[in-house]
Amino acid sequence: MWVTLVATLCGTAAGVTSTIVVDKVRWRRERDQKRLDRDAELAAEFILTTMVGYEALMVLATHRSRAAERNPARVKQIVDESGAASARQKVKLLAPAPTAEACEEVWRALRELRGAVAAGNAADTEPFQACDRVFRDRLHALRVEVRRGQGLPDAEAISVPRVPVYDLLP
């Protein structure tokens, strides 16, 4: 009779232990997936807001009718309105270090481009194009880093956009 009781207690203990272990593994997996999702969302928000600022700078740089707006105050306002600065702060606080550093490199490149436009450079000038190339390269590096952080095996397989708008200008 006591053998049956011991066997029942051992079975119950094994069942409870396995349930706890499985729940802990599931909890960790869900936590890790939430972290990956959050990291990707932060980076995507930063990229999107940065692109808003970038596109606004491109409009100023490519339209001769907007040359009067290529002054430091207006150019700074355009980038500020994009929301990239606040998205950058979120990334710096919450994203993994490699992603945060890649975002910081994109931010520096955007500021350099902003400076080139604020200095009056149009899209067909070498100072603008040099800053634009650096921005595009760093943005690509950020995209690759985000994909790598997501564990995608083909993280570096994404294409690099290489047709800048100033190459399309007449």
Side-chain angles (χ1 to χ4, degrees):
M1 174 142 159
W2 64 272
V3 173
T4 306
L5 181 60
V6 170
T8 303
L9 289 176
C10 287
T12 303
V16 169
T17 302
S18 66
T19 301
I20 290 172
V21 168
V22 167
D23 282 348
K24 180 122 178 153
V25 168
R26 184 182 309 122
W27 174 79
R28 281 186 181 161
R29 186 175 46 239
E30 289 172 358
R31 181 195 63 191
D32 291 346
Q33 187 59 49
K34 285 179 183 177
R35 182 186 51 79
L36 287 173
D37 292 346
R38 184 202 66 213
D39 294 348
E41 286 295 321
L42 289 169
E45 179 185 355
F46 175 76
I47 290 170
L48 293 174
T49 57
T50 300
M51 290 306 296
V52 168
Y54 173 77
E55 293 297 330
L57 290 176
M58 290 300 279
V59 167
L60 286 183
T62 56
H63 292 87
R64 301 216 186 282
S65 63
R66 309 281 303 263
E69 294 180 56
R70 288 186 214 135
N71 63 69
R74 176 65 182 134
V75 173
K76 184 178 182 321
Q77 178 187 10
I78 283 174
V79 174
D80 288 349
E81 288 173 353
S82 72
S86 61
R88 171 181 164 245
Q89 293 302 321
K90 288 179 188 176
V91 169
K92 286 176 77 169
L93 289 173
L94 300 171
T99 302
E101 185 54 38
C103 284
E104 196 62 24
E105 292 295 321
V106 170
W107 176 252
R108 286 184 200 120
L110 182 65
R111 290 188 59 177
E112 289 294 320
L113 188 63
R114 181 184 77 183
V117 174
N121 293 295
D124 58 357
T125 64
E126 179 52 36
F128 177 88
Q129 291 178 12
C131 291
D132 185 61
R133 278 190 295 276
V134 170
F135 175 81
R136 289 170 176 274
D137 289 343
R138 290 183 179 169
L139 186 62
H140 176 72
L142 170 60
R143 289 176 176 141
V144 168
E145 184 56 47
V146 170
R147 291 173 57 84
R148 189 179 295 126
Q150 293 295 306
L152 298 173
D154 62 345
E156 296 181 21
I158 60 174
S159 63
V160 180
R162 288 289 175 203
V163 183
V165 69
Y166 45 80
D167 284 348
L168 303 174
L169 295 175

